Amino acid sequence: MERIQTYCALCVSRCGAIAVVEDGRFVALEPDPSHPTGQALCAKGRAAPELVYHADRLRYPLKRTRPKSDRDPGWQRISWDEALELTATRLRQLAERHGPESVAFSAVSGSTSALVDSYVWMQRLMRAFGTPNLCGSMELCGWGRSGATAYTFGVGMTGGGHMPDLENAGCILFWGYNPSIARLAHATATVKALRRGARLIVVDPRRAGLAGKADLWLRVRPGSDGALALGIAGVMIERGWYDRAFVRDWTNGPLLVRSDDGRLLTEADLTATGSVQRYVAWDTTLQRPLVYDPARRRYARDGAEPALFGEYKLDTPRGALACRPAFDLIAENCRRFSPDVVAATCWIEREQVERAARMLWESRPTAYYSWSGVEQQSSATQIARAISLLYALTGCFDAPGGNVIFPSVPASNVAGEELLSSRQRGRALGLSERPLGPARTQWVTTAELYRAILDEQPYAVRGLVGFGANLLVAHADVTRGRAALAALDFYVHADVFMNPTAELADVVLPVATPFEREALKLGFEVSPAAQSLVQLRRPVVAPRGEARSDTEIVFELARRLGLGAHFWNGDIDAAYRHQLAPSGLSLDTLRANPAGVRVPLQTRYRKYAEETDGVPTGFATPTRKIELYCEAFLNAGYRPFADYEEPLVGPLARPELAGRFPLILTCAKDTHFCESQHRGLASLRRRAPDPEIELHPAAAAERDIRGGDWVSVETPDGRVRARARLNESLHPRVVSGQHGWWQACPELGAPGYDPFGPDGANFNLVIGNAAIDPISGSVPHRAYLCQIRRLD
């Protein structure tokens, strides 16, 4: 027997583990308490040996021999050499004839899969090839917590190293996030924090996971999260429960806003010799304008106290101009969302609004984390900005016990941003329609991809390189997506199992599981101690058949595309050494220490206040402050401060639909599976044999539905089947489904489900791509309209 220290890469938690190997066979995966993320292991991780040895795994490269209109692809086993050469030849031809942007890449989310091992290398290949189009679910999983919040704080607030300091937090706020399912390492850390006396607030339509241990559970109506955040912020401002000094000194709340055009007042507005790069506040002591210089991160007068409230008339060359501090306008907007309005809008008790505000303030320091529950909405961006405003009021950014930019191990950036020209960046799909959205950094949505394939708008996409993305089960508008993938000139897909999306490929490549391949992890994110750990995960057993790691596929494909010079001529070890060079660690050292090596790191707090030559660091925003008022949004035609938008497919926005579809449909991740993966594993399927739809007993009784009945879930876009499960914690007008169902489990006789028809169970078949967040393109998987009917 051999016990190998490793970590599970199946989801974002990356739990430290010990792999048990007997006589060369992987037999068990156990938690490793010595690892910073190894306090527990979920059912998915424990099923790792079953995953490795599953009979349905892809083991050899396959080539389609029949047209995509044929139900049988006629898969033919081919060699790796033929598969890679065919793929490289077809991709080169498309680039030469139509430009590299005519080839898109797709990738399964790194948060919910082991592709995280290879994500930066896949992005490097995409950029070296010359395409700006990566369909990687950013609008559904990452935009709200990383992209949208960066407009406020200059950094993504809950991704990478910008994490909740759970070890020191006095109050923890989880919004649309259930770490018991999504990040077990956070769940164990939160339980530990609660034991030492931390308070917990959970915002979730379902009382699931840690919501059962929360001091305050807010059962928000799906999609109304923005109103709740603004309402809580309004109470905090009204009662003075906010860090006034922090708001005054480190946000752009004091900057004056012109009443005529809503723009921030600049020095150039006051005098012909003034600069448009300097802004103006109101000095409450001297009762006159106060210039703020972003270059110096300072006001013109040291010790000045700029006003946060009031209206001021200033003399300008064009006459008197009325202005108000941005914070005053924000506070006025928040007052629209009184506790009574929030109660009516969000379907929670009005007293809970004040209780949440009080707890966030009195139990500081406050740390928060949000997840896809608030990202898969038609108002995802505004929700994220509203929560950002609420968090800024606490003054806990980058403070002990708040959301801290944890230190990270020095490493070379290998994602290849420098390899993609500015011209090609500007050709990203969706960039012209949503210039503030994910396309700014080469993330495109399935709606944009499908339009480019089928309508050739804004240009034709003819090829696709897919790494594990099961688009037809994980994304909306399934029927259009199926037609789009069938219309491609060439599609290559790399995966562990064949799935409904891969079945439309021309070439399918077998991928090794994370337990059969080596991978480098620099930092484990959840705490400073975890961030200091660098681990080279070793293979537990050899790959099944001819399966290869995604990284090996990327490097060999790059070499055959003539891009080898950007990939160390195919030498992965050389690439790792380049990546590790700033850390001072060697591959040999890491291979000799499978449990990982710790790099000494120092956690510094309030880094925005650190000075260089007398100039504070500030924030990576145009004003160098936290931007509660964002002119980038104003320039793009949106409200410059966080506001509430009703769900676009909801009872208020679409009353003509609410009569036929009176229930609000949301969804939640199943704890037993990794999104659309692993329903073929018997140990997991035994625990969750059928797709389910949760509904309140009152809603069920009204429809003559009993627990366990098969029901039809119907929306304006279609219908699917699921088993009814009664859940008293839900609001009677809210139901919760599960996405990802298609795979059979022959070992148990458990059926598969047609992902393209009403007798199947593909949740996303009934979600459309029409009602989307105008800024990010996010789709409302979490807030739609539906009706439930019992099936005879």
Side-chain angles (χ1 to χ4, degrees):
M1 183 193 298
E2 186 179 9
R3 296 175 63 82
I4 301 169
Q5 287 184 289
T6 183
Y7 64 90
C8 177
L10 293 177
C11 82
V12 71
S13 193
R14 319 297 175 209
C15 295
I18 295 173
V20 181
V21 179
E22 292 183 359
D23 298 325
R25 185 176 179 84
F26 181 27
V27 297
L29 193 69
E30 302 171 352
D32 180 4
S34 69
H35 194 284
T37 61
Q39 301 306 304
L41 203 62
C42 72
K44 300 185 291 292
R46 292 183 183 275
E50 192 178 353
L51 172 65
V52 169
Y53 298 110
H54 198 279
D56 292 342
R57 275 190 55 189
L58 292 166
R59 300 189 187 188
Y60 308 99
L62 301 173
K63 179 176 69 173
R64 172 183 293 278
T65 62
R66 295 180 182 173
K68 293 185 181 179
S69 57
D70 198 318
R71 290 179 62 88
D72 180 6
W75 294 118
Q76 179 185 66
R77 177 179 168 181
I78 59 176
S79 68
W80 270 102
D81 186 68
E82 180 181 354
L84 290 169
E85 198 57 41
L86 171 61
T87 297
T89 298
R90 295 297 301 275
L91 296 180
R92 277 198 306 268
Q93 290 173 346
L94 290 174
E96 290 167 0
R97 294 172 185 171
H98 309 289
E101 67 276 5
S102 69
V103 175
F105 280 58
S106 66
V108 63
S109 168
S111 295
T112 56
S113 77
L115 185 63
V116 70
D117 291 346
S118 311
Y119 225 98
V120 291
W121 306 115
M122 181 269 299
Q123 289 178 300
R124 186 178 184 88
L125 175 60
M126 176 193 81
R127 289 162 176 155
F129 183 79
T131 179
N133 299 316
L134 172 58
C135 187
S137 304
M138 174 57 72
E139 76 282 10
L140 303 178
C141 184
W143 170 253
R145 58 188 182 267
S146 297
T149 54
Y151 285 102
T152 302
F153 297 100
V155 294
M157 273 299 290
T158 57
H162 319 121
M163 301 291 282
D165 183 10
L166 299 177
E167 294 177 333
N168 300 299
C171 182
I172 300 168
L173 170 64
F174 287 151
W175 204 308
Y177 176 53
N178 182 359
S180 300
I181 291 176
R183 196 173 200 145
L184 196 56
H186 264 175
T188 56
T190 301
V191 170
K192 187 176 181 180
L194 296 180
R195 287 173 180 161
R196 64 167 172 77
R199 310 297 294 277
L200 175 64
I201 302 173
V202 173
V203 184
D204 195 323
R206 300 164 68 242
R207 189 166 192 161
L210 289 175
K213 296 180 178 293
D215 296 277
L216 179 61
W217 168 50
L218 300 175
R219 189 179 67 179
V220 65
R221 171 172 66 96
S224 69
D225 305 78
L228 177 58
L230 293 172
I232 297 172
V235 172
M236 293 177 74
I237 294 171
E238 179 185 355
R239 302 292 178 86
W241 296 341
Y242 66 97
D243 191 329
R244 183 181 179 89
F246 182 82
V247 170
R248 182 193 66 210
D249 297 338
W250 296 109
T251 81
N252 70 351
L255 302 186
L256 294 176
V257 177
R258 297 170 55 121
S259 61
D260 55 353
D261 60 10
R263 305 195 66 80
L264 293 176
L265 186 72
T266 70
E267 188 184 38
D269 293 324
L270 301 182
T271 172
T273 59
S275 170
V276 295
Q277 304 297 323
R278 291 193 286 269
Y279 301 94
V280 182
W282 185 260
D283 191 324
T284 57
T285 302
L286 301 182
Q287 290 295 301
R288 68 184 188 190
L290 176 67
V291 173
Y292 167 71
D293 184 359
R296 296 179 58 247
R297 285 56 145 180
R298 295 185 185 280
Y299 290 99
R301 189 171 73 83
D302 290 340
E305 292 198 11
L308 292 176
F309 298 96
E311 183 176 62
Y312 306 94
K313 291 188 177 180
L314 291 84
D315 293 326
T316 77
R318 297 185 178 181
L321 178 65
C323 299
R324 293 168 64 186
F327 192 72
D328 195 15
L329 296 173
I330 291 165
E332 179 182 65
N333 186 57
C334 289
R335 284 195 291 272
R336 295 171 48 222
F337 300 93
S338 67
D340 286 333
V341 170
V342 172
T345 304
C346 304
W347 300 353
I348 64 173
E349 298 175 8
R350 69 177 308 280
E351 291 77 13
Q352 290 185 311
V353 181
E354 180 170 335
R355 188 178 170 198
R358 181 186 294 274
M359 194 177 300
L360 288 170
W361 178 246
E362 294 183 349
S363 299
R364 293 181 305 156
T366 299
Y368 90 97
Y369 206 74
S370 65
W371 202 244
S372 52
V374 293
E375 293 176 333
Q376 297 170 11
Q377 308 277 2
S378 60
S379 57
T381 305
Q382 289 293 6
I383 292 173
R385 283 183 52 74
I387 298 173
S388 295
L389 162 65
L390 175 62
Y391 189 68
L393 295 178
T394 70
C396 295
F397 177 85
D398 207 30
N403 280 54
V404 178
I405 304 175
F406 291 148
S408 54
V409 174
S412 299
N413 185 349
V414 295
E417 288 93 344
E418 75 283 359
L419 301 177
L420 190 66
S421 69
S422 58
R423 179 180 181 276
Q424 286 301 98
R425 289 192 194 99
R427 304 203 71 183
L429 299 174
L431 185 60
S432 60
E433 296 94 334
R434 284 177 284 280
L436 301 181
R440 294 174 67 244
T441 48
Q442 298 94 61
W443 299 94
V444 306
T445 70
T446 49
E448 293 154 356
L449 177 64
Y450 299 161
R451 183 179 65 160
I453 297 170
L454 294 174
D455 304 332
E456 301 187 358
Q457 295 296 325
Y459 51 80
V461 166
R462 303 174 185 274
L464 183 63
V465 181
F467 286 90
N470 192 359
L471 300 178
L472 301 184
V473 179
H475 289 254
D477 213 357
V478 175
T479 302
R480 182 169 170 82
R482 188 185 191 191
L485 297 184
L488 287 165
D489 290 355
F490 182 75
Y491 174 23
V492 57
H493 186 98
D495 219 321
V496 178
F497 292 91
M498 185 67 74
N499 61 45
T501 304
E503 286 174 351
L504 288 168
D506 298 283
V507 173
V508 174
L509 305 176
V511 174
T513 70
F515 308 99
E516 303 166 301
R517 66 193 195 214
E518 192 173 66
L520 179 63
K521 186 84 170 73
L522 293 99
F524 285 77
E525 299 180 349
V526 297
S527 67
Q531 275 289 83
S532 73
L533 183 66
V534 179
Q535 193 169 5
L536 187 70
R537 194 187 68 238
R538 57 173 281 194
V540 175
V541 289
R544 303 288 290 166
E546 295 179 3
R548 296 184 180 181
S549 73
D550 298 287
T551 304
E552 290 176 292
I553 295 170
V554 165
F555 274 64
E556 182 58 19
L557 186 55
R559 191 179 67 80
R560 291 173 185 257
L561 285 167
L563 303 171
H566 298 303
F567 285 82
W568 294 268
N569 296 314
D571 187 342
I572 296 175
D573 277 7
Y576 283 161
R577 290 190 185 100
H578 173 81
Q579 191 177 11
L580 283 168
S583 73
L585 294 176
S586 72
L587 272 181
D588 290 340
T589 299
L590 291 173
R591 286 196 172 114
N593 294 274
V597 177
R598 294 185 183 273
V599 176
L601 298 175
Q602 179 185 1
T603 302
R604 303 181 346 263
Y605 298 102
R606 298 184 178 89
K607 291 175 279 296
Y608 55 84
E610 294 178 349
E611 296 187 0
T612 302
D613 297 329
V615 178
T617 300
F619 296 84
T621 62
T623 62
R624 310 300 293 183
K625 290 178 176 287
I626 291 173
E627 296 212 332
L628 305 181
Y629 195 95
C630 182
E631 284 196 309
F633 277 71
L634 186 67
N635 294 338
Y638 302 110
R639 295 291 295 271
F641 49 79
D643 204 1
Y644 174 61
E645 298 170 353
E646 267 290 317
L648 293 179
V649 183
L652 298 184
R654 299 295 302 274
E656 77 283 6
L657 292 178
R660 288 189 295 137
F661 304 101
L663 300 173
I664 294 178
L665 175 64
T666 189
C667 67
K669 183 178 178 181
D670 192 308
T671 185
H672 300 100
F673 309 115
C674 290
E675 306 302 353
S676 70
Q677 308 165 65
H678 307 162
R679 284 166 179 79
L681 304 187
S683 67
L684 301 179
R685 188 65 174 271
R686 193 175 286 114
R687 298 168 182 236
D690 302 306
E692 293 183 332
I693 185 84
E694 296 179 76
L695 67 166
H696 191 275
E702 185 179 336
R703 293 161 176 80
D704 193 26
I705 294 170
R706 294 172 177 81
D709 286 350
W710 281 98
V711 299
S712 174
V713 183
E714 304 173 16
T715 76
D717 296 87
R719 59 187 172 89
V720 291
R721 295 187 305 141
R723 279 197 188 274
R725 181 180 180 184
L726 305 188
N727 184 344
E728 292 185 351
S729 78
L730 289 171
H731 189 282
R733 290 176 60 188
V734 173
V735 298
S736 179
Q738 302 169 348
H739 90 276
W741 284 89
W742 62 274
Q743 197 173 17
C745 184
E747 185 177 341
L748 299 179
Y753 297 89
D754 175 12
F756 307 116
D759 292 328
N762 186 355
F763 180 93
N764 287 319
L765 187 67
V766 301
I767 304 295
N769 258 343
I772 60 174
D773 178 13
I775 298 171
S776 70
S778 183
V779 178
H781 299 271
R782 305 280 182 156
Y784 223 58
L785 289 177
C786 80
Q787 176 62 291
I788 307 293
R789 292 186 172 86
R790 183 170 61 85
L791 291 172
D792 295 327

